[in-house]
Amino acid sequence: MKPWHVEICDVTLRDGEQTPGVSFTLEEKQDIAQRLDATGVEVIEAGFPIVSVHEKEIVRSVSRMGLDAKICGLSRACREDVDAALDAEVDMIGLFVATSDLHIKHKYKKSREEVVANALTQCDYAIDHGLIVRFGAEDASRTPLPVLIDIYRQAAEHKASYVTFADTTGRLTPLEVATIIPELVRNVPVPIAMHSHNDLGCATANTIIAAELGAYQLHTTVNGLGERAGNASLEEVLVTLALKGGISRYDMTQIPALSKKIQQYTGIMMPATKPVVGSNAFAHESGIHIAAILENPETYEFVPPQLLGLDRQFILGKHTGKRALTHILTTFGYQLPDDEIMKVLEEIKKQSEGKCVISPQILQDIIRNETGKEIINGNSVREDTGCSGRKF
Protein backbone atom coordinates (compact mmCIF):
# COMPACT_ATOMS: atom_id res chain seq x y z
CA MET A 1 0.00 0.00 0.00
CA LYS A 2 1.29 3.43 -0.91
CA PRO A 3 1.34 5.56 2.27
CA TRP A 4 -1.04 8.48 2.38
CA HIS A 5 0.64 11.83 1.78
CA VAL A 6 -0.12 13.73 4.99
CA GLU A 7 1.31 15.65 7.89
CA ILE A 8 -0.13 16.42 11.33
CA CYS A 9 -0.73 19.89 12.71
CA ASP A 10 -1.70 19.38 16.33
CA VAL A 11 -3.78 22.26 17.69
CA THR A 12 -4.11 21.13 21.32
CA LEU A 13 -2.30 24.24 22.56
CA ARG A 14 -4.69 26.52 20.70
CA ASP A 15 -8.05 24.95 19.83
CA GLY A 16 -7.67 22.47 22.67
CA GLU A 17 -7.18 25.38 25.05
CA GLN A 18 -10.44 26.85 23.76
CA THR A 19 -12.23 24.00 25.49
CA PRO A 20 -14.42 25.77 28.06
CA GLY A 21 -12.58 26.00 31.35
CA VAL A 22 -9.18 24.95 29.99
CA SER A 23 -6.07 27.10 30.25
CA PHE A 24 -2.47 25.91 30.05
CA THR A 25 0.41 27.49 31.94
CA LEU A 26 3.69 28.26 30.22
CA GLU A 27 5.29 25.17 31.74
CA GLU A 28 2.36 22.98 30.70
CA LYS A 29 2.46 24.24 27.11
CA GLN A 30 6.19 23.59 26.95
CA ASP A 31 5.73 20.08 28.32
CA ILE A 32 2.90 19.30 25.89
CA ALA A 33 4.90 20.72 22.96
CA GLN A 34 7.90 18.58 23.92
CA ARG A 35 5.74 15.46 24.07
CA LEU A 36 4.04 16.24 20.75
CA ASP A 37 7.44 16.74 19.17
CA ALA A 38 8.63 13.39 20.53
CA THR A 39 5.58 11.80 18.92
CA GLY A 40 6.74 13.19 15.59
CA VAL A 41 3.97 15.60 14.62
CA GLU A 42 5.22 17.99 11.97
CA VAL A 43 3.46 21.19 13.07
CA ILE A 44 2.43 22.39 16.54
CA GLU A 45 -0.06 25.24 16.74
CA ALA A 46 1.18 26.83 19.96
CA GLY A 47 -1.53 29.43 20.52
CA PHE A 48 -3.25 32.63 19.44
CA PRO A 49 -0.62 35.34 20.09
CA ILE A 50 -2.98 38.33 19.89
CA VAL A 51 -5.09 37.03 22.80
CA SER A 52 -2.87 38.64 25.43
CA VAL A 53 0.70 39.71 26.13
CA HIS A 54 1.10 36.61 28.28
CA GLU A 55 -0.19 34.34 25.52
CA LYS A 56 2.26 35.88 23.07
CA GLU A 57 5.11 35.28 25.51
CA ILE A 58 4.08 31.65 25.94
CA VAL A 59 3.96 31.08 22.17
CA ARG A 60 7.37 32.75 21.85
CA SER A 61 8.76 30.43 24.53
CA VAL A 62 7.55 27.38 22.58
CA SER A 63 9.03 28.85 19.39
CA ARG A 64 12.40 29.07 21.14
CA MET A 65 12.43 25.45 22.36
CA GLY A 66 14.33 24.22 19.32
CA LEU A 67 11.81 21.51 18.46
CA ASP A 68 11.83 19.61 15.19
CA ALA A 69 8.19 20.53 14.57
CA LYS A 70 7.33 23.84 12.95
CA ILE A 71 5.58 26.20 15.37
CA CYS A 72 2.38 27.85 14.18
CA GLY A 73 0.36 30.73 15.60
CA LEU A 74 -3.25 31.47 14.77
CA SER A 75 -4.17 34.88 13.37
CA ARG A 76 -7.25 36.66 12.16
CA ALA A 77 -6.82 38.55 8.90
CA CYS A 78 -5.78 41.65 10.84
CA ARG A 79 -2.45 43.45 10.78
CA GLU A 80 -2.20 43.50 14.57
CA ASP A 81 -2.71 39.72 14.70
CA VAL A 82 0.02 39.12 12.17
CA ASP A 83 2.38 41.44 14.05
CA ALA A 84 1.66 39.55 17.28
CA ALA A 85 2.52 36.27 15.54
CA LEU A 86 5.74 37.81 14.24
CA ASP A 87 6.61 38.95 17.75
CA ALA A 88 5.99 35.40 18.94
CA GLU A 89 8.65 34.19 16.49
CA VAL A 90 6.50 31.45 14.95
CA ASP A 91 7.47 29.62 11.75
CA MET A 92 3.96 29.48 10.36
CA ILE A 93 0.80 31.51 10.65
CA GLY A 94 -2.74 30.17 10.42
CA LEU A 95 -4.33 33.24 8.87
CA PHE A 96 -8.10 32.83 8.75
CA VAL A 97 -11.11 34.69 7.46
CA ALA A 98 -14.77 33.65 7.52
CA THR A 99 -16.12 32.95 4.05
CA SER A 100 -19.75 31.78 4.43
CA ASP A 101 -22.66 34.09 3.57
CA LEU A 102 -23.82 33.84 7.18
CA HIS A 103 -20.53 35.03 8.63
CA ILE A 104 -19.94 37.67 5.98
CA LYS A 105 -23.34 39.18 6.72
CA HIS A 106 -23.35 39.04 10.50
CA LYS A 107 -19.67 39.32 11.46
CA TYR A 108 -18.13 41.63 8.91
CA LYS A 109 -21.09 43.56 7.49
CA LYS A 110 -19.05 44.14 4.34
CA SER A 111 -19.00 42.62 0.89
CA ARG A 112 -17.20 39.33 0.42
CA GLU A 113 -14.87 41.06 -2.04
CA GLU A 114 -13.76 43.56 0.61
CA VAL A 115 -13.28 40.87 3.23
CA VAL A 116 -11.24 38.62 0.95
CA ALA A 117 -9.14 41.50 -0.42
CA ASN A 118 -8.16 42.53 3.10
CA ALA A 119 -7.29 38.94 4.02
CA LEU A 120 -5.06 38.62 0.96
CA THR A 121 -3.32 41.86 1.89
CA GLN A 122 -2.51 40.40 5.31
CA CYS A 123 -1.34 37.21 3.59
CA ASP A 124 1.11 39.29 1.51
CA TYR A 125 2.29 41.10 4.63
CA ALA A 126 2.95 37.86 6.52
CA ILE A 127 4.82 36.31 3.60
CA ASP A 128 6.88 39.48 3.09
CA HIS A 129 7.95 39.12 6.74
CA GLY A 130 9.12 35.54 6.32
CA LEU A 131 6.19 33.52 7.61
CA ILE A 132 4.78 30.37 6.07
CA VAL A 133 1.10 31.18 5.52
CA ARG A 134 -1.74 28.70 5.88
CA PHE A 135 -4.75 30.59 4.55
CA GLY A 136 -7.86 29.41 6.37
CA ALA A 137 -11.51 29.67 5.39
CA GLU A 138 -13.56 29.74 8.57
CA ASP A 139 -17.00 28.16 8.13
CA ALA A 140 -15.79 26.70 4.85
CA SER A 141 -18.33 23.89 5.12
CA ARG A 142 -21.16 26.44 4.69
CA THR A 143 -19.45 28.33 1.89
CA PRO A 144 -20.58 27.58 -1.68
CA LEU A 145 -17.91 25.37 -3.22
CA PRO A 146 -17.27 27.54 -6.33
CA VAL A 147 -16.80 30.58 -4.06
CA LEU A 148 -14.45 28.64 -1.81
CA ILE A 149 -12.35 27.38 -4.71
CA ASP A 150 -12.04 30.90 -6.08
CA ILE A 151 -10.86 32.23 -2.69
CA TYR A 152 -8.37 29.39 -2.32
CA ARG A 153 -6.98 30.02 -5.80
CA GLN A 154 -6.49 33.67 -4.96
CA ALA A 155 -4.68 32.68 -1.77
CA ALA A 156 -2.42 30.38 -3.78
CA GLU A 157 -1.67 33.22 -6.20
CA HIS A 158 -0.64 35.28 -3.18
CA LYS A 159 1.80 32.48 -2.27
CA ALA A 160 -0.03 30.88 0.63
CA SER A 161 1.58 27.47 1.23
CA TYR A 162 -1.64 25.77 2.35
CA VAL A 163 -5.36 26.49 2.45
CA THR A 164 -7.51 25.27 5.33
CA PHE A 165 -10.96 23.77 4.96
CA ALA A 166 -12.58 24.36 8.35
CA ASP A 167 -15.77 22.57 9.28
CA THR A 168 -16.20 25.16 12.00
CA THR A 169 -19.56 23.97 13.28
CA GLY A 170 -18.91 20.26 12.85
CA ARG A 171 -21.85 19.87 10.49
CA LEU A 172 -20.39 17.50 7.91
CA THR A 173 -20.64 13.72 7.61
CA PRO A 174 -17.96 11.58 5.96
CA LEU A 175 -19.98 11.21 2.76
CA GLU A 176 -20.23 14.97 2.47
CA VAL A 177 -16.49 15.33 3.04
CA ALA A 178 -15.95 12.69 0.38
CA THR A 179 -17.73 14.87 -2.19
CA ILE A 180 -15.96 18.12 -1.22
CA ILE A 181 -12.30 17.21 -0.73
CA PRO A 182 -11.69 15.68 -4.19
CA GLU A 183 -13.09 18.85 -5.77
CA LEU A 184 -10.72 20.99 -3.73
CA VAL A 185 -7.74 18.75 -4.45
CA ARG A 186 -8.45 18.87 -8.19
CA ASN A 187 -9.06 22.60 -8.38
CA VAL A 188 -6.73 24.18 -5.82
CA PRO A 189 -2.97 24.24 -6.60
CA VAL A 190 -1.72 24.11 -2.97
CA PRO A 191 -2.14 21.48 -0.23
CA ILE A 192 -5.45 21.28 1.64
CA ALA A 193 -5.51 21.37 5.45
CA MET A 194 -8.50 19.66 7.09
CA HIS A 195 -9.84 21.15 10.32
CA SER A 196 -12.78 19.17 11.71
CA HIS A 197 -15.03 19.79 14.69
CA ASN A 198 -16.90 17.00 16.42
CA ASP A 199 -20.44 18.31 16.92
CA LEU A 200 -21.91 15.27 15.14
CA GLY A 201 -19.24 12.91 16.42
CA CYS A 202 -17.65 12.76 12.96
CA ALA A 203 -14.44 14.79 13.40
CA THR A 204 -11.99 11.91 13.30
CA ALA A 205 -13.88 10.11 10.54
CA ASN A 206 -14.08 13.30 8.48
CA THR A 207 -10.37 13.91 8.93
CA ILE A 208 -9.48 10.38 7.90
CA ILE A 209 -11.66 10.37 4.79
CA ALA A 210 -10.20 13.76 3.85
CA ALA A 211 -6.69 12.32 4.19
CA GLU A 212 -7.53 9.28 2.11
CA LEU A 213 -8.91 11.55 -0.63
CA GLY A 214 -5.95 13.90 -0.79
CA ALA A 215 -6.03 16.40 2.08
CA TYR A 216 -2.48 16.95 3.30
CA GLN A 217 -2.36 18.70 6.68
CA LEU A 218 -4.59 17.10 9.31
CA HIS A 219 -5.56 19.11 12.38
CA THR A 220 -5.89 17.20 15.66
CA THR A 221 -6.04 17.64 19.41
CA VAL A 222 -4.96 15.23 22.14
CA ASN A 223 -8.00 13.46 23.62
CA GLY A 224 -10.19 15.27 21.08
CA LEU A 225 -10.26 18.52 23.07
CA GLY A 226 -11.62 21.71 21.54
CA GLU A 227 -14.54 24.07 21.23
CA ARG A 228 -17.90 22.56 22.19
CA ALA A 229 -17.63 18.83 21.40
CA GLY A 230 -13.98 19.09 20.38
CA ASN A 231 -11.81 18.32 17.36
CA ALA A 232 -10.41 15.26 15.63
CA SER A 233 -8.54 13.13 18.15
CA LEU A 234 -4.76 12.91 17.65
CA GLU A 235 -4.54 9.40 19.03
CA GLU A 236 -7.36 8.09 16.84
CA VAL A 237 -5.99 9.77 13.72
CA LEU A 238 -2.44 8.47 14.30
CA VAL A 239 -3.58 4.90 14.90
CA THR A 240 -5.74 5.01 11.77
CA LEU A 241 -2.86 6.41 9.72
CA ALA A 242 -0.70 3.53 10.94
CA LEU A 243 -3.25 0.77 10.32
CA LYS A 244 -5.04 2.15 7.25
CA GLY A 245 -2.73 4.77 5.76
CA GLY A 246 0.54 2.88 5.72
CA ILE A 247 2.32 5.48 7.89
CA SER A 248 4.80 4.27 10.50
CA ARG A 249 6.85 7.37 11.27
CA TYR A 250 4.95 8.52 14.39
CA ASP A 251 6.04 7.22 17.80
CA MET A 252 2.73 6.20 19.28
CA THR A 253 4.28 4.78 22.42
CA GLN A 254 4.33 8.44 23.51
CA ILE A 255 0.54 8.72 23.28
CA PRO A 256 -0.65 7.08 26.55
CA ALA A 257 1.53 9.31 28.74
CA LEU A 258 0.65 12.38 26.67
CA SER A 259 -3.06 11.65 27.03
CA LYS A 260 -2.71 11.24 30.81
CA LYS A 261 -0.80 14.52 31.07
CA ILE A 262 -3.53 16.35 29.18
CA GLN A 263 -6.12 14.85 31.51
CA GLN A 264 -4.05 16.00 34.47
CA TYR A 265 -3.60 19.53 33.12
CA THR A 266 -7.23 20.00 32.07
CA GLY A 267 -9.16 17.95 34.62
CA ILE A 268 -11.08 16.41 31.70
CA MET A 269 -10.96 12.66 32.16
CA MET A 270 -11.41 10.24 29.29
CA PRO A 271 -14.27 7.72 29.46
CA ALA A 272 -13.23 4.10 29.85
CA THR A 273 -14.48 3.34 26.34
CA LYS A 274 -12.54 6.14 24.62
CA PRO A 275 -10.69 4.61 21.65
CA VAL A 276 -6.93 4.17 22.04
CA VAL A 277 -6.53 5.95 25.40
CA GLY A 278 -9.56 4.83 27.41
CA SER A 279 -8.88 2.45 30.29
CA ASN A 280 -10.90 -0.28 28.55
CA ALA A 281 -9.41 0.23 25.07
CA PHE A 282 -7.37 -2.98 25.36
CA ALA A 283 -9.37 -4.78 28.06
CA HIS A 284 -11.40 -7.96 27.59
CA GLU A 285 -13.97 -9.64 29.81
CA SER A 286 -15.95 -11.93 27.52
CA GLY A 287 -14.91 -15.54 27.96
CA ILE A 288 -15.49 -16.21 24.26
CA HIS A 289 -13.20 -13.32 23.33
CA ILE A 290 -10.45 -14.18 25.80
CA ALA A 291 -10.37 -17.83 24.80
CA ALA A 292 -9.86 -16.80 21.17
CA ILE A 293 -7.31 -14.09 22.02
CA LEU A 294 -5.22 -16.64 23.90
CA GLU A 295 -5.00 -18.53 20.62
CA ASN A 296 -4.50 -15.48 18.40
CA PRO A 297 -4.95 -11.85 19.55
CA GLU A 298 -6.11 -10.78 16.09
CA THR A 299 -9.38 -12.64 16.61
CA TYR A 300 -10.75 -9.79 18.73
CA GLU A 301 -8.16 -7.00 18.46
CA PHE A 302 -7.75 -4.80 15.42
CA VAL A 303 -5.57 -2.24 17.19
CA PRO A 304 -2.62 -4.10 18.76
CA PRO A 305 -1.88 -2.65 22.21
CA GLN A 306 1.85 -2.97 21.50
CA LEU A 307 1.46 -0.18 18.94
CA LEU A 308 0.92 2.14 21.92
CA GLY A 309 3.50 0.42 24.09
CA LEU A 310 0.69 -1.13 26.15
CA ASP A 311 -0.42 -4.62 27.18
CA ARG A 312 -3.86 -6.12 26.83
CA GLN A 313 -5.73 -6.72 30.06
CA PHE A 314 -8.17 -9.44 31.01
CA ILE A 315 -11.08 -8.57 33.28
CA LEU A 316 -12.88 -10.95 35.59
CA GLY A 317 -16.64 -10.50 35.59
CA LYS A 318 -19.97 -12.06 34.74
CA HIS A 319 -18.83 -12.81 31.18
CA THR A 320 -15.59 -14.52 32.22
CA GLY A 321 -15.03 -18.12 31.20
CA LYS A 322 -13.06 -20.97 32.70
CA ARG A 323 -10.15 -20.56 30.31
CA ALA A 324 -9.69 -16.87 31.12
CA LEU A 325 -9.71 -17.56 34.84
CA THR A 326 -7.26 -20.42 34.43
CA HIS A 327 -4.96 -18.16 32.41
CA ILE A 328 -5.04 -15.41 35.03
CA LEU A 329 -4.32 -17.84 37.86
CA THR A 330 -1.48 -19.32 35.84
CA THR A 331 0.09 -15.88 35.39
CA PHE A 332 0.18 -15.68 39.19
CA GLY A 333 2.02 -19.01 39.25
CA TYR A 334 -0.81 -21.11 40.71
CA GLN A 335 -2.97 -23.94 39.48
CA LEU A 336 -6.30 -25.13 40.85
CA PRO A 337 -8.13 -28.32 39.97
CA ASP A 338 -11.09 -27.95 37.63
CA ASP A 339 -13.71 -28.34 40.34
CA GLU A 340 -12.21 -25.52 42.41
CA ILE A 341 -11.83 -23.29 39.35
CA MET A 342 -15.54 -23.74 38.64
CA LYS A 343 -16.44 -22.84 42.24
CA VAL A 344 -14.33 -19.70 42.04
CA LEU A 345 -15.79 -18.83 38.63
CA GLU A 346 -19.35 -19.21 39.90
CA GLU A 347 -18.65 -16.82 42.78
CA ILE A 348 -16.95 -14.32 40.45
CA LYS A 349 -20.07 -14.25 38.26
CA LYS A 350 -22.33 -13.92 41.28
CA GLN A 351 -20.42 -10.98 42.74
CA SER A 352 -20.09 -9.28 39.35
CA GLU A 353 -23.83 -9.45 38.79
CA GLY A 354 -24.11 -7.56 42.07
CA LYS A 355 -22.02 -4.76 40.46
CA CYS A 356 -18.89 -5.65 42.38
CA VAL A 357 -15.79 -5.35 40.24
CA ILE A 358 -13.39 -8.21 40.85
CA SER A 359 -10.05 -6.77 41.92
CA PRO A 360 -7.02 -8.99 42.56
CA GLN A 361 -7.65 -8.64 46.29
CA ILE A 362 -11.27 -9.72 45.91
CA LEU A 363 -10.13 -12.65 43.74
CA GLN A 364 -7.84 -13.77 46.56
CA ASP A 365 -10.75 -13.53 49.01
CA ILE A 366 -12.97 -15.60 46.72
CA ILE A 367 -10.29 -18.27 46.30
CA ARG A 368 -9.75 -18.39 50.06
CA ASN A 369 -13.48 -18.67 50.77
CA GLU A 370 -14.21 -21.23 48.06
CA THR A 371 -11.10 -23.42 48.33
CA GLY A 372 -9.49 -22.61 51.66
CA LYS A 373 -6.27 -21.75 49.82
CA GLU A 374 -4.20 -18.59 50.01
CA ILE A 375 -3.13 -17.17 46.65
CA ILE A 376 -0.33 -14.69 47.29
CA ASN A 377 2.46 -14.24 44.80
CA GLY A 378 4.73 -11.39 45.82
CA ASN A 379 4.10 -8.30 43.74
CA SER A 380 2.17 -10.08 41.00
CA VAL A 381 -1.12 -9.06 42.61
CA ARG A 382 -1.76 -5.34 42.91
CA GLU A 383 -2.74 -3.94 46.28
CA ASP A 384 -6.25 -3.03 45.15
CA THR A 385 -9.08 -3.26 47.67
CA GLY A 386 -12.82 -2.98 47.44
CA CYS A 387 -14.83 -3.23 44.25
CA SER A 388 -12.35 -1.51 41.97
CA GLY A 389 -9.22 -2.14 39.96
CA ARG A 390 -10.47 -5.25 38.19
CA LYS A 391 -7.80 -5.48 35.49
CA PHE A 392 -5.20 -8.24 35.55
Side-chain angles (χ1 to χ4, degrees):
M1 178 177 60
K2 183 178 179 181
W4 297 350
H5 183 54
V6 298
E7 69 176 13
I8 298 292
C9 174
D10 189 84
V11 299
T12 302
L13 300 182
R14 198 277 303 168
D15 216 338
E17 195 179 41
Q18 289 175 212
T19 305
V22 170
S23 179
F24 297 120
T25 67
L26 183 151
E27 292 76 18
E28 288 169 350
K29 279 204 176 188
Q30 289 177 330
D31 180 43
I32 295 166
Q34 186 72 56
R35 292 170 184 274
L36 288 169
D37 194 55
T39 301
V41 304
E42 291 83 359
V43 182
I44 297 171
E45 191 163 287
F48 202 160
I50 195 63
V51 164
S52 68
V53 172
H54 184 59
E55 173 75 353
K56 182 168 66 176
E57 290 173 349
I58 291 177
V59 175
R60 185 188 295 122
S61 77
V62 174
S63 298
R64 292 178 174 178
M65 288 176 66
L67 303 177
D68 291 330
K70 291 183 176 68
I71 305 303
C72 180
L74 192 69
S75 167
R76 297 169 300 175
C78 304
R79 182 62 54 87
E80 60 266 32
D81 283 36
V82 179
D83 284 337
L86 288 166
D87 288 345
E89 302 176 13
V90 297
D91 304 302
M92 177 185 297
I93 190 170
L95 183 79
F96 73 92
V97 62
T99 55
S100 68
D101 292 338
L102 186 67
H103 279 239
I104 294 286
K105 177 180 179 180
H106 293 286
K107 281 176 58 174
Y108 300 130
K109 298 179 172 57
K110 297 178 181 178
S111 69
R112 178 178 279 110
E113 291 73 20
E114 289 178 277
V115 170
V116 172
N118 172 68
L120 293 172
T121 297
Q122 307 315 319
C123 176
D124 293 338
Y125 179 76
I127 289 170
D128 288 346
H129 285 75
L131 292 174
I132 301 167
V133 172
R134 187 185 68 218
F135 189 95
E138 185 183 19
D139 208 25
S141 55
R142 288 191 292 192
T143 303
L145 199 54
V147 171
L148 194 61
I149 290 171
D150 179 62
I151 293 171
Y152 285 160
R153 284 176 170 171
Q154 291 184 63
E157 290 171 1
H158 284 254
K159 302 191 177 352
S161 296
Y162 310 75
V163 292
T164 301
F165 180 86
D167 183 19
T168 303
T169 58
R171 65 185 296 272
L172 295 180
T173 66
L175 284 177
E176 290 173 306
V177 172
T179 64
I180 294 168
I181 294 300
E183 287 296 314
L184 296 181
V185 172
R186 278 193 294 268
N187 291 288
V188 178
V190 294
I192 308 298
M194 185 69 189
H195 184 93
S196 301
H197 279 266
N198 202 39
D199 298 73
L200 294 179
C202 294
T204 295
N206 287 345
T207 299
I208 292 301
I209 193 67
E212 191 170 9
L213 295 174
Y216 176 62
Q217 189 181 89
L218 312 179
H219 293 190
T220 64
T221 59
V222 180
N223 296 343
L225 294 179
E227 294 271 7
R228 303 181 311 279
N231 294 67
S233 165
L234 173 68
E235 56 277 7
E236 294 170 21
V237 170
L238 289 187
V239 167
T240 306
L241 291 179
L243 298 178
K244 296 287 190 179
I247 295 173
S248 59
R249 65 179 180 269
Y250 300 108
D251 182 1
M252 282 173 286
T253 63
Q254 304 285 333
I255 290 295
L258 173 57
S259 171
K260 289 178 181 177
K261 273 294 180 185
I262 294 294
Q263 292 176 69
Q264 175 188 331
Y265 291 154
T266 64
I268 298 174
M269 301 296 108
M270 293 297 98
T273 52
K274 173 73 165 64
V276 182
V277 296
S279 60
N280 282 353
F282 302 106
H284 306 270
E285 180 182 324
S286 167
I288 294 171
H289 288 206
I290 293 174
I293 284 171
L294 290 173
E295 292 293 329
N296 185 333
E298 292 183 8
T299 52
Y300 285 101
E301 284 179 349
F302 179 67
V303 181
Q306 296 82 5
L307 187 64
L308 284 298
L310 300 173
D311 297 317
R312 72 184 54 85
Q313 296 171 307
F314 295 145
I315 296 173
L316 294 177
K318 65 180 288 186
H319 303 101
T320 298
K322 176 185 174 184
R323 187 168 183 187
L325 178 58
T326 302
H327 172 78
I328 290 169
L329 290 174
T330 300
T331 64
F332 291 163
Y334 290 89
Q335 293 183 341
L336 295 175
D338 283 357
D339 62 329
E340 291 184 351
I341 288 176
M342 294 309 296
K343 287 181 180 179
V344 170
L345 185 58
E346 183 178 351
E347 184 61 21
I348 286 171
K349 290 177 180 286
K350 178 181 177 181
Q351 292 200 25
S352 296
E353 288 170 349
K355 298 189 182 296
C356 180
V357 177
I358 307 302
S359 71
Q361 182 61 54
I362 291 176
L363 175 61
Q364 290 184 56
D365 293 342
I366 291 173
I367 292 170
R368 184 186 307 111
N369 294 336
E370 297 300 318
T371 71
K373 297 177 180 178
E374 292 285 345
I375 304 294
I376 300 174
N377 187 25
N379 295 323
S380 295
V381 181
R382 297 182 302 191
E383 296 299 322
D384 295 336
T385 58
C387 295
S388 62
R390 61 179 178 168
K391 294 177 184 176
F392 296 82

